[in-house]
Amino acid sequence: MKLPIIKQLVNFAEEHDEDYLQETADTLESVCEVSSLKDEELDMIGELISNLYGAIEVTHEIKNGTPKKEALNGFMSRVLGSIDK
């Protein structure tokens, strides 16, 4: 996951609609079912999906009253904390 990408996606969701992020993630998940995809392609799609779901989670936190910067930093702290364990 990349914080700059998640931040950009959060900004997009604020300007447009969070549903676009969910629909994009759903579409990419469907594309992953193509049997002819190479591992590298699946890895890239998986990274995009992870960033989309991260942005959706941060967007939910912002809607629940968490300031954007705090929501972004908190999310990345949780991600990095789960990696370290």
Side-chain angles (χ1 to χ4, degrees), residues 44-55:
M44 176 58 70
I45 293 170
E47 182 70 21
L48 290 170
I49 292 169
S50 294
N51 287 316
L52 285 161
Y53 281 123

Side-chain angles (χ1 to χ4, degrees), residues 5-16:
I5 293 173
I6 292 172
K7 186 176 179 181
Q8 179 64 32
L9 291 170
V10 168
N11 290 338
F12 178 87
E14 289 176 338
E15 292 173 15
H16 298 90

Side-chain angles (χ1 to χ4, degrees), residues 33-71:
E33 297 174 14
V34 174
S35 61
S36 62
L37 287 175
K38 298 175 186 170
D39 288 343
E40 298 84 22
E41 294 167 328
L42 286 170
D43 289 344
M44 176 58 70
I45 293 170
E47 182 70 21
L48 290 170
I49 292 169
S50 294
N51 287 316
L52 285 161
Y53 281 123
I56 290 168
E57 185 174 328
V58 170
T59 300
H60 284 252
E61 290 182 35
I62 293 168
K63 285 182 178 179
N64 289 329
T66 306
K68 184 192 290 190
K69 185 175 181 177
E70 186 179 319

Side-chain angles (χ1 to χ4, degrees), residues 13-32:
E14 289 176 338
E15 292 173 15
H16 298 90
D17 190 340
E18 177 186 335
D19 290 342
Y20 286 113
L21 301 182
Q22 184 62 55
E23 290 167 1
T24 302
D26 292 344
T27 301
L28 289 172
E29 287 175 0
S30 177
V31 169
C32 285

